[in-house]
């Protein structure tokens, strides 16, 4: 299989690369996306600038430079770059001589949404995924760290769309109470452009009472899980009490076998439980997935014959079928036969 992260179609997708709070007004922030080194900094208007982490003069990493007043100054010969990546100063030249045209940095599409910095290296084919609860005053948003996982983004999405691993991987959090049998999955178009399925589960509650807002050994969850291409997943949880807990699970490919993971939570609770307590449970669940996925080598095969899939994998199979089409691969337009 060729490199996934060199696929041209991924250039036109948005990826979350950092928390907004990680990109300060006082320093440059290096990130790696699709095998490219990038640097982020805040320009004079506070907007994040994203560009290659390479000075056009002698290729020094710009992330080693300094930021002041929205201008990034390279640490090697002091060239200074301002809004939109414009080179505004070459100290070795008289100020009366404008910088050469090719000294300006080519900047990437960059936006901030949901407390995250999103970058698109090409021309955006779509918008950043829509979360209806953002801006709804009855919901609060909780962000979590952006952390590297030693696994492919494809394996992460496959995992996030899958509920049959709950009773095995998530025994330390909520999975022990779940029936191993998975009810028939019907793929539907959910709200907000998400494609996925609805299901009900019994979740172990011993470690999760703060997250569920209920006592008792088990709680009933009414859930949806869906995807947006290429690698965004949304899970919604509704409890009988009316409490809703929405998770945006984001997988950002650094290279074929390294990814960034972060998730964002929206909840319509009464804020009585601290954000730290709310996400402690979800972070523990994520750590269980990470531990499992880091044991599985390489990329997820995207063709429909290498892996054996069953009914419980229907959503992942549908996501892979659409991903292959997006990546320009051959697809016959039918789902893999499920055994
Ligand atoms: S390498 Fe950046 S100013 Fe020379
Ligand atoms: Fe999981």
């Amino acid at each position: 299989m060729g490199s996934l992260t060199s696929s041209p179609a991924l250039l036109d997708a948005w990826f979350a690369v950092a928390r907004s709070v990680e990109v300060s007004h006082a320093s440059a922030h290096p990130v790696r996306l699709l095998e490219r080194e990038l640097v982020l900094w805040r320009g004079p208007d506070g907007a994040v600038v994203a560009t290659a982490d390479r000075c056009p003069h002698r290729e020094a990493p710009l992330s080693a430079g300094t930021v002041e007043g929205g201008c990034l100054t390279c640490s090697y010969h002091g060239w200074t770059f301002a809004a939109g990546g414009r080179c505004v100063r070459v100290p070795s030249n008289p100020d009366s001589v404008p910088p050469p045209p090719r000294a300006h940095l080519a900047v990437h599409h960059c936006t901030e949404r949901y407390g995250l910095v999103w970058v698109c290296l090409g021309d955006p084919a779509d918008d950043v995924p829509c979360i209806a609860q953002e801006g709804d005053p009855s919901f609060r948003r909780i962000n979590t760290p952006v952390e590297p996982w030693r696994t492919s983004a494809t394996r992460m999405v496959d995992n996030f769309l899958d509920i049959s691993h709950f009773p095995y991987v998530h025994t330390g959090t909520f999975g022990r109470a779940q029936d191993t049998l998975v009810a028939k999955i019907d793929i539907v178009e959910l709200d907000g452009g998400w494609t996925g399925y609805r299901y009900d589960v019994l979740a172990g509650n011993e470690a999760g009472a703060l997250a569920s807002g209920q006592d008792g050994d088990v709680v009933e969850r009414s859930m949806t899980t869906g995807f947006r291409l290429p690698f965004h997943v949304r899970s919604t949880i509704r409890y009988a009490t009316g409490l809703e807990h929405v998770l945006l699970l984001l997988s950002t490919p650094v290279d074929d076998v390294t990814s960034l993971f972060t998730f964002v939570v929206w909840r319509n609770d009464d804020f009585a439980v601290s954000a730290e307590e709310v996400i402690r449970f979800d972070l523990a669940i994520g750590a269980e997935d990470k531990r499992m996925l880091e044991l599985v080598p390489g990329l997820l095969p995207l063709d429909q014959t290498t892996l054996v899939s069953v009914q419980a994998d229907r959503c992942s199979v549908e996501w892979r079928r659409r991903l292959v089409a997006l990546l320009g691969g051959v697809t016959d337009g039918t789902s893999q036969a499920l055994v």
Side-chain angles (χ1 to χ4, degrees), residues 54-62 74-81 91:
R54 187 178 58 248
C55 181
H57 180 220
R58 287 298 178 271
E59 301 188 319
L62 291 169
C74 180
S75 58
Y76 200 173
H77 309 90
W79 290 23
T80 298
F81 305 90

Side-chain angles (χ1 to χ4, degrees), residues 159-160 162 165-166 169-170 174 285-286 288-289:
N159 171 278
F160 300 151
D162 157 36
H165 73 276
F166 288 180
V169 171
H170 296 302
F174 71 97
I285 294 168
E288 290 174 326
D289 286 318

Side-chain angles (χ1 to χ4, degrees), residues 314-336:
R314 183 174 287 278
C315 193
S316 170
V317 168
E318 178 61 17
W319 161 72
R320 276 191 294 156
R321 187 181 71 77
R322 297 189 191 196
L323 181 64
V324 167
L326 174 76
L327 299 179
V330 177
T331 174
D332 62 3
T334 60
S335 293
Q336 176 191 10

Side-chain angles (χ1 to χ4, degrees), residues 166-190:
F166 288 180
Y168 298 95
V169 171
H170 296 302
T171 50
T173 50
F174 71 97
R176 232 173 313 155
Q178 192 189 317
D179 195 339
T180 58
L181 186 69
V182 174
K184 183 172 177 293
I185 288 173
D186 290 318
I187 303 298
V188 294
E189 297 305 320
L190 302 165

Side-chain angles (χ1 to χ4, degrees), residues 103-331:
H104 306 309
L105 305 173
V107 298
H108 298 299
H109 294 275
C110 185
T111 190
E112 288 181 83
R113 200 84 58 86
Y114 316 139
L116 297 167
V117 177
W118 300 72
V119 170
C120 172
L121 295 177
D123 295 314
D126 205 352
D127 199 1
V128 170
C130 163
I131 298 293
Q133 287 77 10
E134 174 77 0
D136 180 336
S138 60
F139 282 78
R140 60 168 158 164
R141 166 164 42 83
I142 305 171
N143 282 92
T144 63
V146 175
E147 62 167 1
W149 286 19
R150 289 190 313 280
T151 189
S152 165
T154 49
R155 292 216 183 267
M156 295 165 76
V157 175
D158 178 63
N159 171 278
F160 300 151
L161 296 177
D162 157 36
I163 62 172
S164 63
H165 73 276
F166 288 180
Y168 298 95
V169 171
H170 296 302
T171 50
T173 50
F174 71 97
R176 232 173 313 155
Q178 192 189 317
D179 195 339
T180 58
L181 186 69
V182 174
K184 183 172 177 293
I185 288 173
D186 290 318
I187 303 298
V188 294
E189 297 305 320
L190 302 165
D191 62 294
W194 299 89
T195 302
Y197 60 113
R198 301 185 172 89
Y199 55 100
D200 297 316
V201 290
L202 278 180
N205 196 46
E206 294 142 19
L210 284 174
S212 69
Q214 298 176 60
D215 296 326
D217 290 346
V218 294
V219 286
E220 284 181 36
R221 289 173 161 192
S222 183
M223 300 187 61
T224 72
T225 290
F227 64 84
R228 285 185 60 150
L229 292 177
F231 303 133
H232 308 318
V233 174
R234 185 194 67 175
S235 269
T236 67
I237 303 168
R238 179 186 274 275
Y239 297 95
T241 56
L243 174 64
E244 290 182 56
H245 188 96
V246 177
L247 289 150
L248 180 62
L249 306 162
L250 298 168
S251 309
T252 295
V254 171
D255 55 38
D256 276 355
V257 291
T258 317
S259 308
L260 299 176
F261 174 66
T262 191
F263 66 94
V264 189
V265 173
W266 288 262
R267 281 167 67 89
N268 62 345
D269 60 11
D270 60 4
F271 297 12
V273 179
S274 71
E276 290 71 27
E277 293 287 2
V278 168
I279 62 167
R280 184 174 298 153
F281 187 60
D282 287 326
L283 287 171
I285 294 168
E288 290 174 326
D289 286 318
K290 179 173 187 274
R291 202 157 42 237
M292 184 71 241
L293 290 177
E294 291 189 343
L295 296 174
V296 185
L299 284 164
L300 181 81
L302 295 181
D303 67 278
Q304 300 286 28
T305 54
T306 303
L307 301 177
V308 180
S309 294
V310 293
Q311 290 288 341
D313 303 311
R314 183 174 287 278
C315 193
S316 170
V317 168
E318 178 61 17
W319 161 72
R320 276 191 294 156
R321 187 181 71 77
R322 297 189 191 196
L323 181 64
V324 167
L326 174 76
L327 299 179
V330 177
T331 174

Side-chain angles (χ1 to χ4, degrees), residues 3-13 15 17 29-40 50-54 61 63 106-109 119-123 252-256 258 260:
S3 164
L4 173 79
T5 38
S6 62
S7 172
L10 295 184
L11 297 177
D12 296 336
F15 293 108
V17 295
H29 184 80
V31 293
R32 192 156 188 260
L33 172 65
L34 296 172
E35 303 181 34
R36 296 160 194 235
E37 315 299 331
L38 306 178
V39 62
L40 310 175
T51 185
D53 192 9
R54 187 178 58 248
S63 57
V107 298
H108 298 299
H109 294 275
V119 170
C120 172
L121 295 177
D123 295 314
T252 295
V254 171
D255 55 38
D256 276 355
T258 317
L260 299 176

